[in-house]
Amino acid sequence: VKSEGPKLVPFFKATCVYFVLWLPTSSPSWFSALIKCLPIFCLWVFLLAHGINFLVVHRSASRILAGLIFSAVGDAFLIWQEQGYFIHGLLMFAITHILYSSAFGMKPLDLKAGLLMGLVSSSCYAFLYSYLSGPFTYLVAVYIALIGFMGWRAVAGMQLCNDLWTWTKLSACIGAMLFMVSDLTIAVNKFCFPVPYSRVIIMATYYAAQMLIALSAVESRNEEDFRKRN
């Protein structure tokens, strides 16, 4: 963790810039899009700092980087969501969750965790359903299924019950849960009713989630270094 911390300093600074400037959502601009996406750009740099060869050799890391790229595009679309780009942002983040799920892998399967995440996802959709109309009835269902699947793969990979967890697997798990909290807050605030301090909750959990998921990508590098030392 200590070795990765300095590489995350630009991310923390960019996040502080976002919250200090606190650009109003009512006046979208390319500048506000840049400030919102800047922390995610810094996470690109964080992964790239481990070397291009590292990303080529370790597919999970490259998929997480690809997910961060689609996330930044999604963030930009959501700046103009009132101008009709909300669905575009939803699509970008759906692709992000597919990439993250692929990075986390399908082993171990852990059907109990899958059942739990299925119940959580179903409960969230059941709550939102009466507020949805038109294409959002189906689009939100698909999106919740994708993020729920991503959460399942992150939880399953931690292997807490088998005492096989690592800090990077725990990072992925917490990151996935925070991403779900962030997106659920967006959905409730947009489709159901205003959530107090919604923007703080959404962005704080979102940036934390992306940072933790990016951190989980360094696991394969740590294992490689351990083998070299031994």
Side-chain angles (χ1 to χ4, degrees):
V1 177
K2 291 180 180 179
S3 65
E4 300 301 331
K7 300 186 186 77
L8 286 170
V9 170
F11 165 79
F12 289 120
K13 288 182 177 180
T15 302
C16 289
V17 168
Y18 173 81
F19 283 108
V20 168
L21 291 181
W22 204 247
L23 298 172
T25 55
S26 57
S27 55
S29 66
W30 284 109
F31 180 69
S32 60
L34 174 63
I35 296 301
K36 184 182 181 184
C37 295
L38 192 57
I40 306 303
F41 295 159
C42 292
L43 292 177
W44 297 4
V45 176
F46 167 75
L47 289 179
L48 290 170
H50 291 84
I52 298 297
N53 186 59
F54 168 73
L55 295 172
V56 172
V57 172
H58 303 292
R59 293 184 177 181
S60 60
S62 61
R63 287 167 185 168
I64 287 176
L65 176 60
L68 288 169
I69 292 172
F70 277 99
S71 293
V73 178
D75 281 331
F77 276 131
L78 291 181
I79 288 287
W80 284 277
Q81 60 178 292
E82 300 302 327
Q83 283 72 35
Y85 289 96
F86 181 80
I87 292 179
H88 298 73
L90 197 70
L91 176 60
M92 293 299 102
F93 280 106
I95 295 172
T96 294
H97 297 317
I98 293 172
L99 288 164
Y100 286 168
S101 299
S102 177
F104 298 150
M106 289 302 296
K107 294 181 181 179
L109 194 61
D110 196 347
L111 293 177
K112 290 182 180 179
L115 178 61
L116 176 61
M117 293 307 302
L119 289 173
V120 171
S121 299
S122 299
S123 299
C124 291
Y125 184 68
F127 173 77
L128 294 169
Y129 180 77
S130 60
Y131 296 95
L132 301 173
S133 60
F136 284 114
T137 304
Y138 310 102
L139 292 173
V140 171
V142 173
Y143 186 86
I144 288 177
L146 289 174
I147 195 171
F149 185 83
M150 185 270 289
W152 169 33
R153 298 323 309 148
V155 172
M158 190 169 61
Q159 301 184 71
L160 186 60
C161 295
N162 296 329
D163 200 25
L164 296 174
W165 66 277
T166 63
W167 72 268
T168 48
K169 291 178 180 178
L170 180 62
S171 177
C173 181
I174 297 174
M177 296 302 102
L178 288 174
F179 217 135
M180 294 179 72
V181 171
S182 179
D183 281 358
L184 180 60
T185 306
I186 290 175
V188 172
N189 191 65
K190 182 174 181 63
F191 298 113
C192 305
F193 48 81
V195 176
Y197 307 107
S198 60
R199 192 175 174 197
V200 177
I201 297 170
I202 291 166
M203 297 311 298
T205 53
Y206 170 68
Y207 286 142
Q210 294 283 37
M211 179 196 69
L212 290 168
I213 290 173
L215 268 174
S216 73
V218 305
E219 179 173 22
S220 51
R221 183 181 180 87
N222 291 342
E223 291 173 348
E224 180 182 285
D225 292 343
F226 179 81
R227 286 194 297 270
K228 287 179 179 178
R229 289 196 300 268
N230 293 274

